[in-house]
Amino acid sequence: MKDKTKAILTGRDPEAHHGAVNTPVYHASTILYPSLDAIRGRVPMTYKYGRSGTPTSRALETAITEIEGGAGCVLTPSGASAVALAILSVVKAGDHILMVDSAYAPTRRLCDTFLLKMNIETEYYAPNIGAGIVDKLRDNTSLIFTESPGSQTFDVQDIPAICAVAKTHNVKTAIDNTWASPLYFDPFSHGIDLSAQALTKYVVGHADALLGSVTANDATLESVKDTHAQLGHCAGPDDIYLALRGLRTLPTRLAQHARNALDIATWLNSLPFVQDVLYPALPGAPGHDIWKRDFKGGSGLFAVRLAPCSEDQLAAMLDNMRLFGMGYSWGGFESLIVPAAVKRTAETYEETGQLLRLHIGLEDVDDLKADLADGFTRAGYVLSSSSE
Ligand SMILES: Cc1ncc(COP(=O)(O)O)c(C=O)c1O
């Protein structure tokens, strides 16, 4: 079955739900046991307590596992909690972990505060390190965490090269796979052990719920499940339902996000004051070759670096957008724009212009271009007549 079909079919069991096409929302903490034998564990029970799973959560876990690959999956209340769970499932006090320098800012914060407090040392590495990661390994390195494309600058990592090194040295690998969603990057066929995702973004797809998932291979699944249970990291049924509902249209939405994004990225690339378009799906953009080799599609999120401008010019642009909203998160049907800032510690990173992060939604691209063009003009940039 192709992924598009899996997105429609997996995790559904209408016969178990009176014919309802979608698995309904089960609100449950207490699950009643039919007998002493059952509560003593002598008779198997599929569901034992709301926190450890209901038909609603199992439906989404099954669907994500089947689409993303891996041996199984658990759901968490947010993408941030999924990242934390993936890390906590495989590390212990005294360990050293390698974290990509282009990681999502709250992931860095977890490393620099919570993990540090737990006596787990984080070392940041350059996103383009590839097989060179071998030089960073220590006797106590337990995890290499990747995020590809990374946050803000969208660096694409050579995941197969990193995983090959990790396997040889018996080190676990994890990825934040949110940008590509379960559809456009197969972490497990590229050698990853654990994949964390913010389902908040494309799977929910409507900017109205927070949810995360951690999918694991055979070797790490037990530890993920156990850590998930001990932390009580379960997600709420209404949010899970919204993600299940969103999943059914994910292939169609994501393909359109990617088409719109490529169109706008190509146009931006032609403008005289645009220094860089950081969209790996754009031919010639940084990371395009690895993206083409490893990914099955693009998404709607990328960054653009403009020639420098003042805070007032930026405000003139961003405060008056008609279609692009200014707000965090992404992956919903609507377009968003935010000023982006890069934090790097593994390498010197020079910010030469004004970086903006765009999420390209499902609106008409001509309308979106007109909104951006008006914004650029308000900021004082001059569009050449050929590109207006
Ligand atoms: C790459 C990435 N990972 C994880 C997250 C966290 O997701 P959530 O907002 O659901 O906690 C985000 C949120 O923006 C993200 O961009």
Side-chain angles (χ1 to χ4, degrees), residues 18 26 71 115 129 169 224 267 269 296 350:
H18 306 281
Y26 281 79
L115 294 186
I129 201 163
H169 293 83
V224 169
W267 170 69
N269 209 25
K296 293 187 275 183
E350 217 185 315

Side-chain angles (χ1 to χ4, degrees), residues 83-93 95-97 120 140-145 170-174 193-194 214 216-217 219-224 227:
V83 168
L85 175 65
I87 297 175
L88 293 174
S89 297
V90 291
V91 295
K92 61 178 187 326
D95 282 357
H96 165 254
I97 70 166
I120 295 157
N140 61 339
T141 307
S142 54
L143 173 69
I144 302 172
F145 195 99
N170 209 15
V171 172
K172 296 281 185 215
T173 49
D193 296 302
L194 287 158
V214 179
N217 62 6
T220 42
L221 184 61
E222 262 331 292
S223 152
V224 169
T227 312

Side-chain angles (χ1 to χ4, degrees), residues 39-260:
I39 208 159
R40 293 276 200 225
R42 292 189 285 264
V43 173
M45 294 273 291
T46 312
Y47 301 104
K48 297 174 179 166
Y49 185 52
R51 197 175 61 224
S52 53
T54 65
T56 316
S57 62
R58 288 287 146 76
L60 185 58
E61 288 164 0
T62 305
I64 298 289
T65 308
E66 289 195 20
I67 298 170
E68 199 175 22
C73 159
V74 296
L75 303 176
T76 68
S78 68
S81 60
V83 168
L85 175 65
I87 297 175
L88 293 174
S89 297
V90 291
V91 295
K92 61 178 187 326
D95 282 357
H96 165 254
I97 70 166
L98 289 164
M99 172 59 64
V100 66
D101 212 12
S102 50
Y104 175 57
T107 302
R108 287 188 84 102
R109 192 165 140 66
L110 175 87
C111 294
D112 297 344
T113 55
F114 187 85
L115 294 186
L116 193 63
K117 220 167 51 185
M118 301 290 128
N119 193 25
I120 295 157
E121 183 189 351
T122 301
E123 180 178 347
Y124 291 94
Y125 65 88
N128 65 355
I129 201 163
I133 195 90
V134 70
D135 297 331
K136 301 268 178 204
L137 296 179
R138 300 186 195 162
D139 289 346
N140 61 339
T141 307
S142 54
L143 173 69
I144 302 172
F145 195 99
T146 65
E147 183 184 321
S148 184
S151 285
Q152 315 292 349
T153 43
F154 300 89
D155 307 74
V156 182
Q157 295 192 248
D158 191 340
I159 299 293
I162 290 173
C163 290
V165 169
K167 291 243 167 335
T168 315
H169 293 83
N170 209 15
V171 172
K172 296 281 185 215
T173 49
I175 189 168
D176 181 329
N177 198 26
T178 305
W179 184 89
S181 91
L183 284 182
Y184 287 168
F185 183 74
D186 285 334
F188 301 98
S189 67
H190 290 96
I192 287 280
D193 296 302
L194 287 158
S195 171
Q197 288 194 61
L199 303 180
T200 307
K201 316 300 177 194
Y202 285 116
V203 175
V204 166
H206 294 71
D208 53 3
L210 289 149
L211 200 69
S213 64
V214 179
T215 311
N217 62 6
D218 269 324
T220 42
L221 184 61
E222 262 331 292
S223 152
V224 169
K225 285 192 163 172
D226 199 33
T227 312
H228 181 253
Q230 289 184 48
L231 292 174
H233 242 177
C234 60
D238 292 311
D239 294 335
I240 297 174
Y241 179 80
L242 288 173
L244 261 174
R245 200 173 202 272
L247 183 72
R248 307 304 175 203
T249 54
L250 177 66
T252 310
R253 284 185 289 108
L254 200 52
Q256 190 60 41
H257 280 290
R259 267 194 296 276
N260 284 2

